[in-house]
């Protein structure tokens, strides 16, 4: 999971079914923006489809994309997974969009008419909408929709995982039919990115009680999901495919060239690759690195691979009730540090990622302005150090060699999404590495959509292997690591608490100067690398494969690996020769 471009989520769980997730501060999917990192890539292929002036756009084609994870809901304020986040920007227009460098921008397909006006004290944002945008049912997009969306997502009763980016709002006031003032309670440095949001239709949802909104048919039933983007949601055959058709009521100055977009769901990534090679699909967002050479053998296929806004991690759960014996074995700081030392992270990068990733020691991408660098603790692979720390924390070997403490065996289930070949391999490495120091790990692959809905979002798991896809270019990750944001109104699904970090996240938000903010995040990075609510594994890229003979774009519209969902950057301008 990822960040997804969820409303109010900086990160999102990333399935790697495509690029994907939310970032209220962070996919469960996989996340990070282009202006947060300048990391060199270990393997970058030139963008597919080098522009050809003789190659003119074709109207009415079909684009078929593969995935191995089904969606959960495409209601923008509840998206917490990358599969759902893949669909959302195709059928919803954003209030503001992001350019290739992750700057807020107004595009012909944005709902806003101009960049926001910000008051001298930095607390009031005035947003003006285009007066001709329409919903797919023909109704106008107005200030009422903007007010309703912001008031809903910031209300705890709605239980949006992205609430942390919106609960700093004091009031949202309608100035006229197309103008709104958003007044903050405090300076909130990351707020500009909360304007990169999809709106909800007030005329459809305002009568729905907030406590019932999450279970409403809106976002799960195509017939009841009114949208305002270039495409509309036509069909969802669960576990098989999703169909989007060009929106006949689309209001934008630029219309989409592609008439139909189909997401086909496959059992796993290897099956996706076979479908791509056979020509059943035209694009696969995340092929396994082990399959890159096989794909390169086909002249019609191009591969784009660069470090993206996503990182993988092992997350611990600190809530006792999430374990069969009602005891979390992860509460000791030395225990968590021991696990970090026990994991051969560099071996994962070298052998599983084939060198296409790089180690991380904090939640900030390597090379970004928030990256603490050497200030963060780097846990080198050291099994003996791990054993020593476990002993110091009171763990002793039982009769079967598995460690015990206070009558509890150190045995836990490590959940990940089934069908993800990278995580299957990494989970096996984790299992063996921890067995070597006396810890029993039981890897368990679960269907992604089911996993997100039943385990990740409510925080019901012992430990997980997952990724954040950073949909928010700002490094603020309060929603993931602050004790103010336990589920369901937040993304701290491990029930982690560190009061020092709680205060530091707020300090970072109140600091406008980037150099001074950087100092705060360096302190956060150092503290979090010591306390370890996660073991941070590595930043990585998602190898995107495209049939260059049927899918086309101009140079300025090429995919952008550094952005969450950047694999479809400016897709409204793409075209397909396939009918």
């Amino acid at each position: 999971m990822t960040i997804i471009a969820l409303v109010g989520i900086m990160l999102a769980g990333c399935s790697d079914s495509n690029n994907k997730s939310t970032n209220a501060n962070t996919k469960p999917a996989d996340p990070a923006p282009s202006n947060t990192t300048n990391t060199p890539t270990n393997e970058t292929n030139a963008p597919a489809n080098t522009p050809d002036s003789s190659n003119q756009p074709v109207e009415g084609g079909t684009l078929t994309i593969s995935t191995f994870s089904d969606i959960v809901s495409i209601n923008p304020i509840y998206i917490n997974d990358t599969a759902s986040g893949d669909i959302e920007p195709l059928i919803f227009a954003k209030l503001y969009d992001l350019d290739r460098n992750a700057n807020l921008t107004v595009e012909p397909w944005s709902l806003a008419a101009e960049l926001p006006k910000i008051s001298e004290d930095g607390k009031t944002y005035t947003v003006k909408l285009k007066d001709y945008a329409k919903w797919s049912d023909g109704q106008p997009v107005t200030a009422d929709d903007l007010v309703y969306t912001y008031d809903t997502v910031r209300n705890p009763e709605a239980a949006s995982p992205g609430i942390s980016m919106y609960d700093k709002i004091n009031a949202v006031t309608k100035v006229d039919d197309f103008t709104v003032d958003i007044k903050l309670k405090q300076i909130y440095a990351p707020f500009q990115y909360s304007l990169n949001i999809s709106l909800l239709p007030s005329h459809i949802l305002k009568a729905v009680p907030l406590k019932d909104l999450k279970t409403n048919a809106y976002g799960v039933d195509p017939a009841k999901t009114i949208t305002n983007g270039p495409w509309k949601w036509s069909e969802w055959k669960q576990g098989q495919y999703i169909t989007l058709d060009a929106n006949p009521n689309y209001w934008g100055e630029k219309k989409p060239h592609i008439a139909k977009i189909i997401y086909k769901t496959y059992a796993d990534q290897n099956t996706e690759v076979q479908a791509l090679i056979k020509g059943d699909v035209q694009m696969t967002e995340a092929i396994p690195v082990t399959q890159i050479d096989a794909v390169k053998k086909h002249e019609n296929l191009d591969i784009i691979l660069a470090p993206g806004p996503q990182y993988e991690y092992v997350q611990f759960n600190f809530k006792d009730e999430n374990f069969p014996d009602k005891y979390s074995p992860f509460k000791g700081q030395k225990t968590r540090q021991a696990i970090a030392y026990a994991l051969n992270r560099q071996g994962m990068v070298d052998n599983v990622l084939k060198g296409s990733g790089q180690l991380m020691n904090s939640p900030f991408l390597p090379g970004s302005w928030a990256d603490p660098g050497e200030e963060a603790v780097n846990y080198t692979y050291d099994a003996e150090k791990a054993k020593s720390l476990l002993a110091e924390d009171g763990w002793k070997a039982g009769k079967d060699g598995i460690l015990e403490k206070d009558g509890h065996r150190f045995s836990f289930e490590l959940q990940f999404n089934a069908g993800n070949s990278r995580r299957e391999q990494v989970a096996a490495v984790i299992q063996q590495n921890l067995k070597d120091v006396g810890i029993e790990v039981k890897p368990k692959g679960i269907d992604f959509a089911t996993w997100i809905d039943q385990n990740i979002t409510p925080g019901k798991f012992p430990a997980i292997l997952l990724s954040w896809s950073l949909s928010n270019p700002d490094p603020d990750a309060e929603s993931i690591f602050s004790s103010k944001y336990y589920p369901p109104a937040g993304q701290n699904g491990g029930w982690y608490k560190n009061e020092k970090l709680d205060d530091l996240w707020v300090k970072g938000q109140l600091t406008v100067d980037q150099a001074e903010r950087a100092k705060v995040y360096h302190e956060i990075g150092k503290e979090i690398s010591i306390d370890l609510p996660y073991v941070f594994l590595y930043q990585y890229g998602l190898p995107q494969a495209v049939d260059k003979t049927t899918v086309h774009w101009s140079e300025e519209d090429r995919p952008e690996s550094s952005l969450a969902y950047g694999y479809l950057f400016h897709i409204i301008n793409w075209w397909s020769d396939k009918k």
Side-chain angles (χ1 to χ4, degrees), residues 56-63 230-231 246 250 254-261 552-554 557 570-579:
Q56 296 300 313
V58 173
E59 305 295 332
T62 295
L63 173 61
W231 293 271
Y250 183 57
K254 288 190 174 182
K255 311 298 182 184
H257 299 300
I258 297 173
K260 186 183 295 290
I261 299 176
H552 310 278
W553 53 71
S554 62
D557 300 319
H570 286 186
I571 188 176
I572 194 171
N573 293 328
W574 295 12
W575 65 98
S576 171
D577 297 332
K578 200 159 189 175
K579 299 298 183 181

Side-chain angles (χ1 to χ4, degrees), residues 35 368-370 474-475 511-521:
N35 69 346
S368 70
W369 61 264
D474 195 274
T511 305
V512 176
D513 180 78
Q514 188 176 98
E516 292 301 312
R517 283 191 80 198
K519 295 177 183 178
V520 178
Y521 291 112

Side-chain angles (χ1 to χ4, degrees), residues 214-236:
K214 189 173 184 178
T215 56
N216 189 267
Y218 188 88
V220 293
D221 183 346
K224 297 181 180 179
T225 304
I226 303 301
T227 58
N228 56 16
W231 293 271
K232 63 182 181 69
W233 190 17
S234 302
E235 187 178 9
W236 179 20

Side-chain angles (χ1 to χ4, degrees), residues 491-534:
Q491 295 177 296
N492 185 356
W495 308 90
Y496 171 66
K497 183 172 184 178
N498 181 318
E499 292 180 358
K500 179 180 179 180
L501 284 172
D502 287 354
D503 293 339
L504 283 172
W505 291 118
V506 175
K507 184 178 179 181
Q509 296 163 1
L510 294 171
T511 305
V512 176
D513 180 78
Q514 188 176 98
E516 292 301 312
R517 283 191 80 198
K519 295 177 183 178
V520 178
Y521 291 112
H522 293 176
E523 188 176 355
I524 289 173
K526 179 179 179 180
E527 172 65 21
I528 212 165
S529 73
I530 294 171
D531 205 36
L532 289 183
Y534 292 4

Side-chain angles (χ1 to χ4, degrees), residues 227-514:
T227 58
N228 56 16
W231 293 271
K232 63 182 181 69
W233 190 17
S234 302
E235 187 178 9
W236 179 20
K237 189 73 171 177
Q238 292 190 12
Q240 297 184 44
Y241 61 85
I242 287 172
T243 302
L244 313 176
D245 289 301
N247 177 5
N249 286 323
Y250 183 57
W251 48 271
E253 301 165 14
K254 288 190 174 182
K255 311 298 182 184
H257 299 300
I258 297 173
K260 186 183 295 290
I261 299 176
I262 302 170
Y263 275 84
K264 284 188 177 181
T265 305
Y266 292 88
D268 53 46
Q269 289 176 304
N270 293 325
T271 310
E272 283 188 84
V273 172
Q274 293 307 309
L276 178 73
I277 291 172
K278 288 170 58 181
D280 292 340
V281 300
Q282 299 157 273
M283 181 184 294
T284 299
E285 181 194 351
I287 64 173
V289 291
T290 54
Q291 296 273 23
I292 288 178
D293 289 341
V295 172
K296 283 182 176 178
K297 292 178 181 178
H298 298 268
E299 293 184 357
N300 66 311
L301 300 178
D302 268 346
I303 294 176
I304 304 168
L305 173 59
Q310 51 267 335
Y311 67 84
E312 202 123 68
Y313 58 86
V314 174
Q315 182 178 7
F316 306 119
N317 202 307
F318 297 91
K319 197 171 187 178
D320 289 335
E321 67 184 54
N322 289 310
F323 296 82
D325 58 354
K326 307 303 178 185
Y327 176 85
S328 171
F330 303 121
K331 292 182 178 178
Q333 186 186 84
K334 289 183 178 180
T335 293
R336 301 192 295 276
Q337 292 173 344
I339 292 174
Y341 278 117
L343 297 184
N344 187 357
R345 299 184 301 148
Q346 188 61 53
M348 297 173 191
V349 170
D350 294 342
N351 300 314
V352 179
L353 273 65
K354 306 301 180 185
S356 64
Q358 59 181 323
L359 297 183
M360 286 184 60
N361 298 311
S362 79
F364 308 122
L365 295 178
S368 70
W369 61 264
D371 177 21
E374 294 182 356
E375 294 180 49
V377 179
N378 178 38
Y379 294 88
T380 56
Y381 179 44
D382 191 336
E384 294 308 311
K385 177 71 171 177
K387 291 176 183 177
S388 176
L389 285 169
L390 288 165
E392 289 179 31
D393 220 13
W395 293 98
K396 298 179 181 179
K399 294 180 180 180
D400 59 358
I402 300 301
L403 297 175
E404 295 181 352
K405 181 179 179 181
D406 300 329
H408 300 277
R409 293 177 78 248
F410 205 152
S411 175
F412 66 91
E413 180 179 272
L414 179 66
Q415 299 178 359
F416 60 93
N417 56 307
N420 185 308
S421 62
R422 182 186 68 255
R423 290 195 186 127
E424 290 171 353
Q425 295 175 70
V426 171
V429 173
I430 292 171
Q431 182 183 38
Q432 184 59 56
N433 285 167
L434 294 189
K435 180 181 179 182
D436 291 342
V437 299
I439 300 173
E440 182 181 59
V441 178
K442 301 175 182 178
K444 183 177 181 180
I446 306 174
D447 171 72
F448 189 69
T450 301
W451 186 40
I452 295 301
D453 193 39
Q454 298 181 9
N455 301 95
I456 303 301
T457 300
K460 295 180 179 179
F461 55 82
I464 57 174
L465 172 61
L466 191 54
S467 302
W468 280 120
S469 179
L470 305 173
S471 59
N472 188 327
D474 195 274
D476 179 43
E478 183 186 33
S479 182
I480 298 173
F481 297 108
S482 173
S483 61
K484 292 190 296 184
Y485 296 106
Y486 292 140
Q491 295 177 296
N492 185 356
W495 308 90
Y496 171 66
K497 183 172 184 178
N498 181 318
E499 292 180 358
K500 179 180 179 180
L501 284 172
D502 287 354
D503 293 339
L504 283 172
W505 291 118
V506 175
K507 184 178 179 181
Q509 296 163 1
L510 294 171
T511 305
V512 176
D513 180 78
Q514 188 176 98

Side-chain angles (χ1 to χ4, degrees), residues 93-113:
K94 295 288 185 184
L95 180 58
Y96 292 94
D97 283 275
L98 298 179
D99 67 16
R100 194 174 294 280
N101 295 313
N103 299 308
L104 212 63
T105 186
V106 174
E107 299 283 7
W109 46 88
S110 305
L111 292 172

